[in-house]
Amino acid sequence: MSPADGVMIAPVDDRWDASAGEGDALDQVLAASRLLGSDRSLANFGGGNTSAKGTATDHAGRDVRVMWVKGSGSDLATMERRHFTGLRLDEILPLIERHEMSDEEMVAYLARCQLDPTMPRCSIETLLHAFVPAEHVHHTHPDGINVLAGTRDGEALVRECFGDRAAWSPYIRPGFTLARQVGLAVRENPALEAVILAKHGLVVWGDTAQEAYRRTVAIVNEAIAFTNARVGGAARFGGPAGTPLSDDQAAELLADVLPALRGAVSSERAKVLVVDRAPAVVEFVSSRDAPELVGVGAPCPDHLVHTKRVPLWVPFDPARDDAAALAERIRELVPAYRDEYRAYVALHADADTVPADPDPRVVLIQNVGLVGVGTSPRAAALSRDLYHRAVEVIAGADAMGGFVSLTDAESFAIEYWPLELYKLSLAPPPGELQGTVALVTGGAGGIGRATMAAMAGMGACVVGLDLDADGAREAVAAYGDAGLGLACDVTSEDAVRDAYRQAVARFGGVDIVVSNAGVASSAPLQETTLDEWQRNYAVLGTGYFLVAREAFRTMIAQATGGSIVFVASKNAVVAGRNAAAYSSAKAAELHLARCLAEEGGPHGIRVNTVNPDAVLQGSRIWGSSWRRERADAYGIEPDQLEEHYRKRTTLGVNILPDDIAQAVVHFASPARSGKSTGNMLNVDGGVPAAYAR
Ligand code: NAD
């Protein structure tokens, strides 16, 4: 949030709760860690680290002096006891006598000091915690401190603000040398209350977790009061330069532009987008100084692997540019960003460097807002959240005398630091459909649910559309921020268009469309009503046309190809009695897919069809009059249908919803069927009449 008038940066709350002081040293540091992490202006996701010293019993029953320190890759806000690493302190402390130690040696040494080898690898900054002679040490990256730490005259400002109570440590990459410098500074000056690390963050300590936490809050608020007293009334970022778009205008514009942006930033792997119009962000992207400030760099080393050194800045003047012009500009600027990123890597890389994905992780559209980019909604939101921190720090530092950041070489040394990359390696491996967006019609039904479950399990974001809105929402509930359930009647042109706009607003576009919504009816021709005939054609014919047309529009704007899968039926290829409306509409669906395969080819859009037969489990169709009607058609009872269908297949099997889902996945995945289009795959247990010929 943008602070109120007269306040450059908002103070932080003391959230200490009396019960947090209970338990052993590990419980206490755990409580303090969660409190620090609960305020992202103090400790952003994955950033900061905490420790407590005490005693523990080792595997041989000996009491040993121990330090509990945050494990690498965990987040303060959600720490558990198991996320801390216990280390034998007496084996670590003598290291301060050394003058240097490589990262590799440090990591190997600390691994041998662990109380238990199954504990997580300890934080990069473990030695700093060990060398500071206090029971509890907290290291954070607070906005209020980083304003001073990231201002051109930061050292003088810190001295003016804190006098001798805080030491200033010039920027060096974390590791043995920084730890030793901080440890010695604290040991040599018992009156010291804090160390401020240039362009990085804050270190404080105390006898208890409560004392260290409260001192963090107090020191940060002192820095904030100092900044506000000096520049509280100043315009942030040089004041406004243009008039930002309203929410409605931005939504309208972004619906047309996001697919182009998503395609452009998905050069090596598919990405999802998260749009952000927080007031402080809109203020920043509409400001006079933003075009220059965005190029300075990251306000904290911790941001780099998630935001890259700089965001992509996209100029946009609402008075002059329309959506088409903006999309065109994005298509030009993103490749240029990649070229610059590759040049930066080439300049600093050594023989072991594996270049990261060169696409931007944060895109700022002037007068509109921010777009976070990532291979999952969580990753995209993390980039967004870290840039919120950047906006606050840049606001203060710019007003205090000029925002400064790490040099290119310093940034590279962090972004490609093996110890920083180690944290990323802890994430689960990406799924086969990671970063893709799959839209499934009839998402509340049996096959739709199974299809979404299969694709979500492979890393896709899923959008379930159904007449039954509650059913669609319930079907995606388990996928959290990677699922979206929407009401949509596929026979309505407006509803289909609106559903795609919502999918685009949420994830940035669509790669996979499974047209699966269905109805069924069975009656001899002479008893088939016109209503029934038209209902089948409306859903299975017109509905599939409308869904595919919108898919084409979105995919062509993305320019990354795509896969459309129609769920037709064995009845599309086999003539049967008493289902002429359904079966002929399914045949129309199948042929529509082939026609679209021809039109989609030049755009890399594949269109294929899966033909199920008799999937009784989970199907609403089979819960309706269709079951009775089909049983009547075969002259059997409804509860004999399952056996009837099994027996009539060549393989003697029943077909389950997941069998259909796996066939859909085959066509959805470019890795499995990237060179197949206009095809059909029967999943019917083998029905000779349906064999392709
Ligand atoms: P289902 O009834 O469980 O699911 C179909 C879903 O489509 C329902 O949730 C329904 O609300 C939704 N729907 C219906 N009309 C809609 C509309 N106008 N707009 C949006 N949503 C609408 O059925 P299922 O078994 O999961 O079938 C899925 C697809 O598979 C259908 O196209 C069906 O024809 C086809 N199919 C099924 C079988 C089978 O035996 N289950 C066999 C062959 C083909």
Side-chain angles (χ1 to χ4, degrees):
M1 284 287 289
S2 182
D5 282 350
V7 176
M8 178 58 65
I9 181 160
V12 296
D13 298 330
D14 180 342
R15 299 181 181 176
W16 189 264
D17 160 4
S19 63
E22 290 165 8
D24 61 12
L26 184 50
D27 279 335
Q28 289 185 33
V29 67
L30 175 61
S33 303
R34 289 186 184 163
L35 285 184
L36 290 168
S38 72
D39 184 342
R40 292 305 190 190
S41 76
L42 281 177
N44 44 51
F45 180 87
N49 34 66
T50 48
S51 67
K53 302 185 179 86
T55 54
T57 307
D58 74 3
H59 63 286
R62 294 171 296 217
D63 281 346
V64 290
R65 289 233 301 145
V66 69
M67 178 174 77
W68 300 99
V69 68
K70 182 189 160 208
S72 193
S74 41
D75 177 34
L76 287 177
T78 54
M79 298 286 287
E80 303 282 346
R81 282 174 73 98
R82 66 189 160 86
H83 295 129
F84 286 89
T85 313
L87 299 145
R88 287 183 205 85
L89 197 53
D90 293 334
E91 295 179 12
I92 302 176
L93 288 175
L95 292 178
I96 201 164
E97 303 304 330
R98 295 202 190 184
H99 289 280
E100 57 183 20
M101 192 174 197
S102 72
D103 292 339
E104 295 73 28
E105 201 187 347
M106 179 178 79
V107 170
Y109 188 100
L110 290 173
R112 290 182 172 83
C113 300
Q114 288 190 193
L115 275 190
D116 181 338
T118 64
M119 287 171 167
R121 187 200 270 196
C122 56
S123 159
I124 294 169
E125 276 150 328
T126 293
L127 288 183
L128 184 153
H129 288 263
F131 294 161
V132 171
E135 299 298 290
H136 288 263
V137 180
H138 293 174
H139 164 50
T140 49
H141 309 130
D143 296 351
I145 290 297
N146 281 353
V147 163
L148 302 184
T151 295
R152 191 164 293 118
D153 292 327
E155 185 172 5
L157 292 171
V158 164
R159 176 161 295 279
E160 200 179 327
C161 177
F162 295 107
D164 290 338
R165 292 159 49 225
W168 172 263
S169 174
Y171 179 80
I172 55 168
R173 192 174 72 179
F176 178 81
T177 308
L178 178 66
R180 188 164 180 275
Q181 280 176 9
V182 172
L184 290 178
V186 181
R187 285 164 187 229
E188 286 161 11
N189 183 356
L192 211 55
E193 293 174 21
V195 177
I196 292 175
L197 310 176
K199 301 189 274 191
H200 180 170
L202 173 70
V203 183
V204 295
W205 51 90
D207 291 339
T208 62
Q210 178 184 7
E211 193 186 345
Y213 171 80
R214 289 220 151 120
R215 195 179 276 183
T216 298
V217 171
I219 294 276
V220 171
N221 278 339
E222 232 178 300
I224 289 172
F226 177 78
T227 300
N228 285 336
R230 184 161 293 214
V231 295
R236 288 166 42 112
F237 322 112
T243 309
L245 295 191
S246 68
D247 286 350
D248 286 348
Q249 290 168 327
E252 190 64 25
L253 177 83
L254 290 171
D256 291 332
V257 167
L258 288 180
L261 173 58
R262 180 163 182 265
V265 299
S266 297
S267 67
E268 293 189 356
R269 46 186 69 77
K271 312 276 176 32
V272 291
L273 309 181
V274 174
V275 173
D276 179 33
R277 297 242 318 145
V281 164
V282 174
E283 178 195 16
F284 180 53
V285 298
S286 312
S287 72
R288 210 192 61 185
D289 294 347
E292 197 183 321
L293 289 169
V294 295
V296 174
C300 177
D302 262 53
H303 296 193
L304 282 160
V305 291
H306 303 292
T307 62
K308 290 204 158 67
R309 202 182 66 76
V310 289
L312 170 67
W313 173 255
V314 184
F316 175 68
D317 178 355
R320 231 188 36 220
D321 305 323
D322 61 7
L326 178 58
E328 202 41 50
R329 187 164 305 143
I330 286 170
R331 290 194 188 99
E332 287 164 17
L333 289 177
V334 174
Y337 181 99
R338 278 196 289 271
D339 288 347
E340 264 183 50
Y341 182 78
R342 289 190 177 114
Y344 149 84
V345 174
L347 186 65
H348 302 287
D350 62 25
D352 297 330
T353 302
V354 180
D357 182 323
D359 292 324
R361 294 289 306 274
V362 174
V363 178
L364 301 173
I365 306 178
Q366 190 173 26
N367 296 313
V368 179
L370 178 153
V371 183
V373 178
T375 53
S376 66
R378 191 160 177 257
L382 176 55
S383 305
R384 170 200 66 195
D385 292 348
L386 291 173
Y387 209 77
H388 276 206
R389 311 280 44 99
V391 166
E392 294 309 312
V393 173
I394 292 171
D398 181 44
M400 289 294 273
F403 169 53
V404 289
S405 173
L406 309 185
T407 64
D408 277 13
E410 288 167 344
S411 296
F412 182 86
I414 290 284
E415 198 183 336
Y416 283 87
W417 189 22
L419 301 198
E420 192 71 17
L421 295 176
Y422 171 78
K423 294 186 200 170
L424 299 184
S425 75
L426 299 174
E432 186 178 328
L433 298 179
Q434 194 68 45
T436 62
V437 181
L439 181 145
V440 180
T441 71
I447 291 173
R449 276 170 197 257
T451 302
M452 292 196 294
M455 296 199 289
M458 296 164 74
C461 296
V462 290
V463 183
L465 270 47
D466 207 291
L467 274 182
D468 172 7
D470 288 343
R473 283 191 279 271
E474 186 251 312
V476 300
Y479 314 129
D481 58 5
L484 176 64
L486 297 174
C488 176
D489 179 349
V490 297
T491 66
S492 155
E493 190 171 21
D494 287 347
V496 171
R497 183 171 171 271
D498 185 58
Y500 272 83
R501 286 175 94 79
Q502 291 193 57
V504 165
R506 176 68 175 270
F507 299 119
V510 166
D511 309 282
I512 298 162
V513 168
V514 184
S515 202
N516 161 78
V519 288
S521 65
S522 172
L525 185 66
Q526 64 279 17
E527 291 168 24
T528 301
T529 63
L530 180 60
D531 274 358
E532 270 313 281
W533 176 268
Q534 285 174 337
R535 191 169 75 98
N536 275 283
Y537 272 77
V539 178
L540 305 175
T542 308
Y544 280 55
F545 149 67
L546 290 174
V547 168
R549 189 180 65 178
E550 220 53 48
F552 264 54
R553 289 175 175 165
T554 309
M555 290 173 180
I556 289 171
Q558 274 174 180
T560 49
S563 172
I564 300 176
V565 184
F566 280 8
V567 179
S569 169
K570 173 219 70 182
N571 289 26
V573 288
V574 179
R577 290 187 193 135
N578 299 346
Y582 174 78
S583 301
S584 61
K586 282 290 181 188
E589 204 185 280
L590 174 63
H591 199 60
L592 175 64
R594 294 168 174 151
C595 297
L596 300 186
E598 273 306 285
E599 285 193 45
H603 303 287
I605 301 172
R606 300 180 296 113
V607 190
N608 293 287
T609 303
V610 171
N611 288 329
D613 188 32
V615 185
L616 276 64
Q617 193 189 89
S619 171
R620 295 166 161 201
I621 290 174
W622 287 97
S624 67
S625 57
W626 174 257
R627 181 183 278 263
R628 172 87 258 168
E629 289 157 2
R630 293 322 291 159
D632 288 350
Y634 300 123
I636 56 175
E637 287 303 311
D639 62 7
Q640 295 173 310
L641 273 172
E642 210 144 339
E643 190 189 351
H644 169 82
Y645 283 124
R646 185 167 60 243
K647 283 189 173 157
R648 82 175 185 187
T649 68
T650 304
L651 296 170
V653 291
N654 282 124
I655 314 302
L656 306 176
D658 190 53
D659 299 324
I660 311 304
Q662 294 308 322
V664 172
V665 161
H666 172 75
F667 282 137
S669 163
R672 300 182 194 210
S673 64
K675 295 182 183 172
S676 286
T677 193
N679 260 315
M680 67 177 194
L681 178 52
N682 296 333
V683 187
D684 55 9
V687 176
Y691 289 172
R693 57 182 72 83

